Amino acid sequence: MWIHPEEVLLAGALWVSERANPFFVLQRRRGHGRGGGLLVGTLDVVLDSSARVAPYRILLQTADSQIYWNIACGSSRKEITEHWDWLEANLLQTISIFDNDEDITTFVKGKISGIIAEENRLKPGEEHEEDSGKFREAELKMRKLFGMPEEEKLVNYYSCSYWKGRVPRQGWLYLSVNHLCFYSFLLGKEVTLVVPWTEVTQLEKNATLLFPESVRVSTRDTEHFFSMFLNINDTFKLMEQLANIAMRQLLDNEAFAADLSLPKPSKTLKNVSALKRDLDARAKNERYRAMFRLTQEERLDGHTDCTLWTPFAKMHVVGQLFISNNYICFSSKEEDLCQLIIPLREVSIVEKADSSSVLPCPVSISTKNKMNFLFANLKDRDFLVQRISDFLQRTPDSSWGDTNPLSQISHSVCSESVQKDPEKMKEESWNIHFLEFGRGVCMYRTSRTRELVLNGIPERLRGELWLLFSGAQNEMATHPGYYGELVEQAMGLCSLATEEIERDLHRSMPEHRAFQNEMGIAALRRVLTAYAHRNPGIGYCQAMNIVTSVLLLYCTEEEAFWLLVALCERMLPDYYNTRVVGALVDQGVFEELTRSFLPLLYEHMQELGVISTISLSWFLTLFLSVMPFDSAVLLVDCFFYEGIKVIFQVALAVLHDNMDALLSCSDEGEAMTILGRYLDNVVNKQTVAPPIPHPHALLTSGDEPPPEIDVFDLIKSSYEKFGSLRSDVIEQMRFKQRLKVIQSLEDTAKRSVVRAMMTESAFSIEELEELYCLFKSKHMTSCYWGSSSSAAERHDPSLPYLEQYRIDPLQFRQLFVSLAPWVCGGHNPTLSARLFRLLDQNQDGLVNFKEFITGLSEPRLQITCFILSPRGERKTQTSTPVKHYVHLCVLLYILMCVCVCVCVCVCVQEQFIELCKTLYNMFSEEALEQQLYHAIATVASLLLRIGEVGKKFNNGTKKRETMPQTSLSAQNPPHSPQGEEEGPGHGASGESEVCRALADAQLEVVAPQMSDEETKDDVSVSSYSVVSAGSLQCEDIAEDTVLIRGSEQRQGSVLDTDWSITFEQVLASMLTEPPLVDYFERKRDIQAKMAACKAQRAVERQISSASDHELTQHST
């Protein structure tokens, strides 16, 4: 590529000149390409130059100057040669007329800069143009070293050591969007490693005596250790991000999409790619949204240190101010001291206050509900105020209030209950808190707020505070009328989700009177159906009905809907998808926490297998299904304020309280009974409503009732014993478990697929597992390297595992060429296209794994014929003649072993020639080539005679039926090429025409590979090299030998349209030749082909090196 001219003082150091003229020099890096340069190659790897110096460059030189200018670089000889040819063709003659060397240098530098500017102008949307030149060179080097396409984007690269055995190999670690790659070249020894992120099962940063401060990357097959990083924390965080993105690809099958709205930096950052900035911004956005419970669309614009005046404490609190497109947020540096969220829709005035020594650079923000906030110690106050003003101008004016609910179930419940003293006291405490700290979204959230939540939220305020703490109130305020529109769109639609909802409606808290009538059931149906319509990726999952029914007791329908959105999409991510991945991840986190806090109990519980059984029901329903309602709802209060960590704390407290009893258990059932009875007797002694009997209580009650446990004591105990848990630590543990869970689910899916296919294919278990991995890898590759169809079309998680992953024709052709038992040269594209249409049962342009394996199963000659129309449509047997429209691909499909029952099929002469042509191509690389050619020649001769006999028989029948027309035809016979006569000799002459065409085919040159347009149309047949001139002896080519030249007829030749044979005749004739039967019945070794397919990248690198060598020879 062209680069901005850079000054070079020593042109000959570490470089070899390969071409030169009076003005330009083309150079190759020593150690690159053929022979020598081991020391230079080693230095390039150890030093920075390996990652960022291209192996070829072009220098501008002048006769009177010792200074050179680097104007172009290239990762391959082909690329640099194109630049060299352009310079000689366009600039050499022009600059030769200049008299002054300085003018030449100025002119060439200006020309090159103009070319670069024009390229940037033509491609403004490509983010890599923001990257520095050195980084782009490193990206080009990565693609060349590892055979990556242009779609694979490099994120960053680091110098490190890779431990191969006990020997560290110093080299460069390349982290791209989809792969982890490492390259080292030390004293002639090359180490190359490519690991797709989707295959990573564990990512750990550890420090041991053998590997000091190292990163361990584990896959299913092996472990890789990297150490000696300049900044291991930065590298490990980036690796975690990329692995997380890959896990999302496995879950959602969506490719990584760069953030095109990311603001461009004021200056190009050295060695920092646009993708790296994008990922850094995403990480900051995720932390920001999690900290303040904001929606996924919210993007952090910036943050700064400041102080906030807190009127309730009469002091300035040190913390950080965050600004995004819709919110101003503050968080104190001391945890739980103060947190503040100010939606811009609530802001009325932003102004700079008077600065003083006590209060430097203050900014005052006023809201519509008359609250004032004073921030001070701002470093760049003017810029901050301007940014807030810009966002305010884009914020629509909102006068949001409560929308009209479709149902008011919750209020009827509250009004029926008689308010008692504990409830009134809690309400009074909250009212005092509102007066002191504010009410609504702009309320100061402090440690006092948490104390009130832990003591229980009064029923009248529960819905309001759930909305506030979860962030659902903000989302509802910015989407007025959205829920009503969803209900109108969703009601009446029938789907799998709606059927499951209907089954579970009457199982949702049937003991509560609110759901013992149609009013409550209808409200629950509307909320669940609306959410399933909003998020079809989740749809509906069991346990959502229980949680939603509790939400409806305290909120309106619309409020319950937005709370459900907050739960499913932010607070409990991936909990309610089809495979409950989020709940399984937190189950793993819970096991790890149990091992950390309760090691003795953990070992015993693992032996019993209890933890994995109990945790799913506890987490999916937030204890609502295992604990009395009045007690569990208090845990929901804490959950909406604290997040998932309070659920972990309470779960650990439950195990701790029952530790002695659990340690004495001898089986899983006994342990489950102990925990069930304990949870059934967790009571809320401050409840204002009559206790609701829990359905589990009847199953777990014994002769002697167990002691009651106050839920407030349980919550208090959980904070005292396990309150050290932090949300960021839990997120780190979630990442570690997510890798394990998703890869474990993928392994389970693979085993299910293999079991299902064992009886339907001839492959072994190991072969099926390898084929499944290759098939899924091809599918995943298309997700991030592009495909003709979207990822959603190619993956449907609602289908069985056998049919979930699907590939398109291009991907199928790539696998076919790599794995097919036979190779057919130029016929491969046509063959794969025809077979793809055969396997595509529903004609949707995609093939699933089951269909793919069907196409690769072991062949049997008797069942491998299939007829396709010219468009690839299947034709059933009819009473009308089919010889005019069918296209016989008979033994093309022998390669692919497809079992199709065809009763009668007719092959005309042109299609018969096509068949013979394909067979000759198939045998060109066989050891028994001559025997197979003899066999095909014999079969073809026999079939030609059979066709002639059939033609005479058919003509005789027609003659008896239509005598007048036959007589007329006899008087005016059609023209016969080259004076051929009719009558008994006509069959022989037609046979000889075919023979002449076949004989000519021997002399034809190999045709190039068919284009996509040609591949799509099976009727169009290009010229093929059927057999070389020397592959058959002269005596082999008899008058009845069938060889062809292609679809174009020889000049003066006419194919006999009345000649035809049937499938049975072809099959019977081939069965008479043992070499053919042995060839098609022989078992093929697919293991070698699968190993070669896995090593495809190494082959690509060898091909690249070979092409470089060929270009070198050509240039010399």
Side-chain angles (χ1 to χ4, degrees):
M1 64 180 179
W2 300 109
I3 61 175
H4 290 286
E6 298 176 350
E7 193 174 282
V8 177
L9 296 178
L10 296 175
L14 307 182
W15 292 86
V16 178
S17 297
E18 296 199 340
R19 294 186 184 183
N21 58 43
F23 302 100
F24 301 105
V25 181
L26 189 155
Q27 294 184 327
R28 173 178 56 84
R29 185 77 168 175
R30 291 183 188 272
H32 178 81
R34 56 193 188 281
L38 296 184
L39 179 59
V40 177
T42 301
L43 289 174
D44 278 348
V45 171
V46 175
L47 302 176
D48 193 13
S49 55
S50 171
R52 59 187 181 87
V53 173
Y56 299 96
R57 70 180 183 182
I58 297 177
L59 301 180
L60 167 66
Q61 64 174 356
T62 54
D64 299 334
S65 176
Q66 298 299 318
I67 296 176
Y68 294 78
W69 294 90
N70 188 8
I71 60 174
C73 66
S75 59
S76 67
R77 186 178 297 278
K78 180 181 178 181
E79 180 185 5
I80 205 68
T81 303
E82 290 176 356
H83 288 356
W84 178 267
D85 293 341
W86 187 90
L87 289 171
E88 287 189 330
N90 296 278
L91 288 188
L92 198 57
Q93 187 174 0
T94 303
I95 62 178
S96 63
I97 62 174
F98 281 78
D99 296 329
N100 190 339
D101 289 343
E102 291 185 4
D103 293 341
I104 294 175
T105 303
T106 303
F107 175 78
V108 174
K109 289 168 63 176
K111 188 69 175 178
I112 299 301
S113 299
I115 292 173
I116 295 172
E118 181 66 14
E119 289 177 348
N120 292 344
R121 186 186 67 81
L122 294 176
K123 299 182 289 186
E126 296 189 10
E127 73 278 356
H128 68 263
E129 293 300 332
E130 300 174 19
D131 301 337
S132 66
K134 297 299 182 184
F135 190 90
R136 292 204 295 272
E137 289 178 25
E139 186 171 45
L140 290 172
K141 190 173 183 71
M142 178 205 73
R143 290 174 185 164
K144 179 174 176 60
L145 286 172
F146 307 106
M148 300 289 182
E150 290 188 5
E151 291 84 357
E152 186 68 6
K153 303 297 184 184
L154 177 65
V155 180
N156 213 348
Y157 59 97
Y158 303 91
S159 174
C160 69
S161 290
Y162 170 56
W163 291 79
K164 192 171 184 181
R166 295 186 177 182
V167 180
R169 302 279 184 170
Q170 185 66 25
W172 287 88
L173 180 69
Y174 297 87
L175 302 181
S176 67
V177 173
N178 304 295
H179 296 87
L180 177 151
C181 307
F182 178 84
Y183 179 78
S184 173
F185 182 84
L186 291 176
L187 300 176
K189 293 186 178 180
E190 185 180 45
V191 176
T192 304
L193 174 70
V194 178
V195 179
W197 289 114
T198 51
E199 294 182 7
V200 174
T201 58
Q202 192 172 4
L203 199 60
E204 254 186 331
K205 182 178 66 175
N206 50 26
T208 63
L209 185 62
L210 183 60
F211 302 115
E213 236 187 3
S214 64
V215 173
R216 182 177 69 176
V217 180
S218 303
T219 64
R220 291 179 178 84
D221 305 320
T222 185
E223 292 181 341
H224 306 283
F225 290 90
F226 303 90
S227 64
M228 299 182 69
F229 290 95
L230 185 63
N231 188 341
I232 191 172
N233 292 326
D234 179 60
T235 307
F236 187 72
K237 285 180 181 178
L238 179 57
M239 294 169 79
E240 281 186 325
Q241 273 189 286
L242 294 172
N244 244 331
I245 291 171
M247 294 306 104
R248 297 308 313 178
Q249 286 179 354
L250 287 175
L251 276 179
D252 305 330
N253 282 270
E254 290 297 338
F256 170 80
D259 187 359
L260 299 179
S261 64
L262 193 68
K264 295 184 179 181
S266 55
K267 62 179 181 178
T268 302
L269 302 175
K270 183 180 179 182
N271 294 342
V272 177
S273 67
L275 275 177
K276 180 66 167 62
R277 293 196 306 110
D278 183 358
L279 290 174
D280 289 343
R282 290 179 188 223
K284 291 179 181 178
N285 288 335
E286 288 174 4
R287 289 194 295 269
Y288 170 64
R289 290 192 294 257
M291 184 185 299
F292 299 104
R293 306 274 173 82
L294 303 178
T295 62
Q296 296 295 328
E297 297 77 21
E298 205 61 27
R299 296 182 181 180
L300 180 64
D301 185 69
H303 60 91
T304 183
D305 293 333
C306 69
T307 59
L308 170 67
W309 171 253
T310 52
F312 54 89
K314 302 294 189 292
M315 61 180 291
H316 292 279
V317 176
V318 178
Q320 281 191 319
L321 181 69
F322 301 83
I323 298 177
S324 60
N325 44 326
N326 293 300
Y327 297 91
I328 300 172
C329 302
F330 175 85
S331 179
S332 61
K333 288 192 175 180
E334 184 181 342
E335 191 176 3
D336 290 333
L337 186 58
C338 182
Q339 192 182 72
L340 183 65
I341 301 173
I342 308 174
L344 290 179
R345 67 178 184 274
E346 299 290 333
V347 174
S348 58
I349 300 174
V350 178
E351 58 184 355
K352 292 180 283 187
D354 294 334
S355 183
S356 66
S357 58
V358 178
L359 203 64
C361 301
V363 171
S364 174
I365 298 178
S366 302
T367 63
K368 295 176 181 178
N369 59 354
K370 309 303 181 185
M371 292 185 70
N372 294 310
F373 304 96
L374 187 62
F375 300 93
N377 290 283
L378 295 164
K379 293 180 180 178
D380 196 346
R381 182 175 62 166
D382 295 337
F383 177 76
L384 176 68
V385 172
Q386 183 61 45
R387 289 300 292 165
I388 296 176
S389 301
D390 293 341
F391 284 128
L392 281 172
Q393 290 177 0
R394 305 174 203 167
T395 305
D397 188 21
S398 174
S399 56
W400 172 79
D402 285 338
T403 56
N404 294 325
L406 295 174
S407 175
Q408 297 271 352
I409 297 177
S410 60
H411 301 292
S412 63
V413 174
C414 293
S415 60
E416 291 175 7
S417 60
V418 179
Q419 298 295 318
K420 297 184 179 180
D421 290 341
E423 192 73 7
K424 287 184 177 181
M425 292 174 61
K426 284 194 285 188
E427 285 189 20
E428 187 63 27
S429 298
W430 276 98
N431 288 331
I432 295 172
H433 183 274
F434 291 149
L435 289 174
E436 189 174 358
F437 297 90
R439 186 169 187 171
V441 290
C442 299
M443 179 178 69
Y444 291 98
R445 307 178 193 197
T446 66
S447 55
R448 173 60 180 159
T449 312
R450 188 175 72 173
E451 290 175 10
L452 289 176
V453 171
L454 297 184
N455 289 328
I457 299 176
E459 290 197 359
R460 288 189 182 275
L461 299 176
R462 187 161 275 148
E464 175 189 342
L465 293 176
W466 282 0
L467 286 167
L468 176 64
F469 297 144
S470 66
Q473 182 170 339
N474 289 319
E475 201 163 5
M476 183 168 64
T478 54
H479 295 82
Y482 176 77
Y483 172 71
E485 294 173 2
L486 271 184
V487 171
E488 291 180 6
Q489 295 169 10
M491 297 310 291
L493 297 178
C494 186
S495 64
L496 178 63
T498 57
E499 293 175 3
E500 293 176 345
I501 290 170
E502 289 298 326
R503 282 201 304 268
D504 289 347
L505 282 176
H506 294 279
R507 305 174 190 170
S508 308
M509 296 190 68
E511 69 279 1
H512 200 288
R513 60 179 176 273
F515 297 100
Q516 293 171 355
N517 56 70
E518 186 55 34
M519 182 182 177
I521 296 296
L524 182 60
R525 178 188 293 113
R526 286 190 292 269
V527 174
L528 291 174
T529 306
Y531 185 77
H533 188 69
R534 165 191 166 88
N535 192 343
I538 292 179
Y540 171 77
C541 173
Q542 285 187 340
M544 287 174 66
N545 59 319
I546 296 175
V547 175
T548 306
S549 60
V550 174
L551 300 179
L552 280 169
L553 292 176
Y554 301 101
C555 308
T556 64
E557 275 188 39
E558 184 176 16
E559 292 169 347
F561 169 79
W562 286 114
L563 279 171
L564 186 61
V565 170
L567 274 173
C568 296
E569 298 176 12
R570 296 196 299 277
M571 302 189 73
L572 297 175
D574 300 321
Y575 257 61
Y576 301 107
N577 58 22
T578 53
R579 296 190 283 182
V580 292
V581 173
L584 292 174
V585 168
D586 281 351
Q587 174 183 298
V589 173
F590 181 56
E591 291 185 9
E592 197 171 337
L593 290 172
T594 306
R595 181 171 56 188
S596 175
F597 286 100
L598 308 169
L600 291 178
L601 181 60
Y602 169 79
E603 293 178 4
H604 186 66
M605 296 281 278
Q606 283 296 98
E607 293 176 2
L608 300 180
V610 176
I611 295 181
S612 59
T613 306
I614 60 175
S615 53
L616 268 183
S617 59
W618 292 3
F619 296 148
L620 276 172
T621 62
L622 304 176
F623 286 95
L624 288 167
S625 64
V626 295
M627 194 180 286
F629 171 76
D630 294 320
S631 303
V633 76
L634 292 175
L635 297 183
V636 178
D637 292 343
C638 300
F639 167 76
F640 277 121
Y641 186 80
E642 292 276 27
I644 191 64
K645 86 166 195 174
V646 73
I647 303 298
F648 285 122
Q649 290 177 186
V650 171
L652 289 170
V654 170
L655 293 184
H656 184 270
D657 289 351
N658 294 274
M659 183 184 296
D660 295 336
L662 290 172
L663 286 173
S664 62
C665 291
S666 57
D667 57 53
E668 178 185 358
E670 185 180 355
M672 294 292 293
T673 301
I674 290 172
L675 292 172
R677 295 185 68 184
Y678 178 88
L679 291 172
D680 285 337
N681 287 276
V682 176
V683 298
N684 179 6
K685 297 179 179 179
Q686 298 181 9
T687 182
V688 297
I692 300 172
H694 195 270
H696 291 174
L698 299 176
L699 301 176
T700 59
S701 60
D703 298 332
E704 183 180 346
E708 291 184 343
I709 302 96
D710 191 340
V711 66
F712 292 103
D713 293 338
L714 177 63
I715 294 174
K716 182 180 178 181
S717 171
S718 72
Y719 273 90
E720 290 175 350
K721 295 171 182 174
F722 309 105
S724 59
L725 278 179
R726 292 174 49 189
S727 298
D728 56 342
V729 175
I730 291 175
E731 285 303 317
Q732 183 67 30
M733 297 170 70
R734 274 179 164 178
F735 163 75
K736 183 179 176 181
Q737 293 297 326
R738 191 176 294 115
L739 291 179
K740 291 182 180 178
V741 167
I742 294 178
Q743 297 293 10
S744 175
L745 290 173
E746 293 296 314
D747 290 341
T748 302
K750 180 173 69 174
R751 288 191 294 270
S752 300
V753 168
V754 169
R755 282 197 302 269
M757 290 301 299
M758 277 299 297
T759 58
E760 300 185 25
S761 73
F763 294 113
S764 65
I765 294 177
E766 294 76 14
E767 289 172 341
L768 281 173
E769 288 181 348
E770 290 292 334
L771 286 170
Y772 179 80
C773 292
L774 287 173
F775 187 88
K776 192 181 80 170
S777 174
K778 185 62 65 177
H779 166 85
M780 295 306 302
T781 301
S782 67
C783 287
Y784 50 73
W785 282 349
S787 176
S788 57
S789 55
S790 69
E793 293 173 350
R794 286 178 281 106
H795 181 260
D796 186 355
S798 64
L799 295 174
Y801 288 128
L802 270 173
E803 304 173 15
Q804 280 189 11
Y805 294 113
R806 294 176 287 181
I807 57 176
D808 59 23
L810 178 60
Q811 299 160 335
F812 178 83
R813 184 172 72 181
Q814 294 168 351
L815 283 176
F816 167 75
V817 172
S818 302
L819 301 174
W822 301 280
V823 291
C824 293
H827 289 265
N828 279 332
T830 303
L831 177 61
S832 66
R834 292 172 181 173
L835 180 66
F836 183 88
R837 287 198 291 271
L838 170 66
L839 298 177
D840 186 10
Q841 298 289 337
N842 56 359
Q843 305 295 311
D844 63 349
L846 298 169
V847 165
N848 59 43
F849 182 70
K850 182 179 181 180
E851 296 165 341
F852 174 73
I853 290 298
T854 302
L856 282 183
S857 295
E858 282 300 310
R860 290 296 177 266
L861 186 58
Q862 292 84 347
I863 58 172
T864 53
C865 292
F866 193 78
I867 291 181
L868 292 180
S869 71
R871 293 188 179 181
E873 299 171 356
R874 294 174 176 76
K875 297 293 182 180
T876 56
Q877 183 185 2
T878 62
S879 59
T880 59
V882 294
K883 65 181 181 181
H884 298 294
Y885 58 83
V886 296
H887 184 88
L888 188 60
C889 303
V890 184
L891 292 178
L892 290 178
Y893 292 104
I894 291 178
L895 310 181
M896 305 308 295
C897 336
V898 181
C899 177
V900 180
C901 295
V902 182
C903 299
V904 178
C905 32
V906 181
C907 176
V908 297
Q909 198 172 76
E910 182 180 1
Q911 297 159 353
F912 173 69
I913 292 172
E914 180 84 5
L915 166 63
C916 296
K917 171 177 65 177
T918 304
L919 286 173
Y920 273 109
N921 250 355
M922 289 169 54
F923 304 146
S924 61
E925 299 177 6
E926 283 293 317
L928 301 176
E929 182 178 358
Q930 291 299 321
Q931 291 90 324
L932 290 168
Y933 283 154
H934 278 292
I936 284 297
T938 304
V939 170
S941 177
L942 177 60
L943 288 173
L944 277 172
R945 291 191 174 93
I946 292 173
E948 291 300 328
V949 172
K951 186 184 76 170
K952 291 178 182 179
F953 176 79
N954 290 334
N955 287 345
T957 305
K958 291 180 182 177
K959 196 170 186 178
R960 289 192 297 270
E961 291 177 356
T962 57
M963 186 63 69
Q965 290 83 351
T966 307
S967 301
L968 184 60
S969 300
Q971 295 175 8
N972 300 289
H975 172 70
S976 297
Q978 301 180 4
E980 294 176 13
E981 296 180 1
E982 290 190 31
H986 180 71
S989 65
E991 185 177 325
S992 62
E993 279 302 325
V994 177
C995 294
R996 282 195 293 272
L998 298 172
D1000 286 344
Q1002 298 179 84
L1003 306 176
E1004 293 200 336
V1005 183
V1006 179
Q1009 185 171 334
M1010 295 173 63
S1011 64
D1012 292 340
E1013 288 77 9
E1014 291 170 323
T1015 304
K1016 290 176 183 176
D1017 189 0
D1018 282 343
V1019 182
S1020 63
V1021 183
S1022 60
S1023 298
Y1024 294 95
S1025 174
V1026 180
V1027 57
S1028 63
S1031 60
L1032 276 180
Q1033 305 300 323
C1034 292
E1035 58 268 20
D1036 296 334
I1037 308 177
E1039 239 187 25
D1040 49 8
T1041 301
V1042 179
L1043 297 171
I1044 65 122
R1045 53 175 281 184
S1047 62
E1048 299 177 0
Q1049 301 174 12
R1050 283 193 324 134
Q1051 187 175 0
S1053 298
V1054 175
L1055 292 173
D1056 194 341
T1057 56
D1058 291 331
W1059 184 96
S1060 64
I1061 54 175
T1062 64
F1063 162 69
E1064 288 82 358
Q1065 291 167 345
V1066 175
L1067 185 59
S1069 300
M1070 296 190 71
L1071 288 173
T1072 62
E1073 292 296 324
L1076 290 176
V1077 176
D1078 294 342
Y1079 174 77
F1080 289 113
E1081 292 293 322
R1082 187 169 70 233
K1083 182 174 176 61
R1084 307 284 169 167
D1085 180 18
I1086 200 171
Q1087 290 285 356
K1089 289 186 173 289
M1090 289 191 292
C1093 192
K1094 283 185 173 181
Q1096 187 175 4
R1097 296 202 185 284
V1099 174
E1100 289 174 357
R1101 288 195 292 275
Q1102 293 171 8
I1103 292 173
S1104 299
S1105 301
S1107 62
D1108 278 353
H1109 184 62
E1110 291 169 6
L1111 283 169
T1112 304
Q1113 291 178 334
H1114 178 72
S1115 63
T1116 54

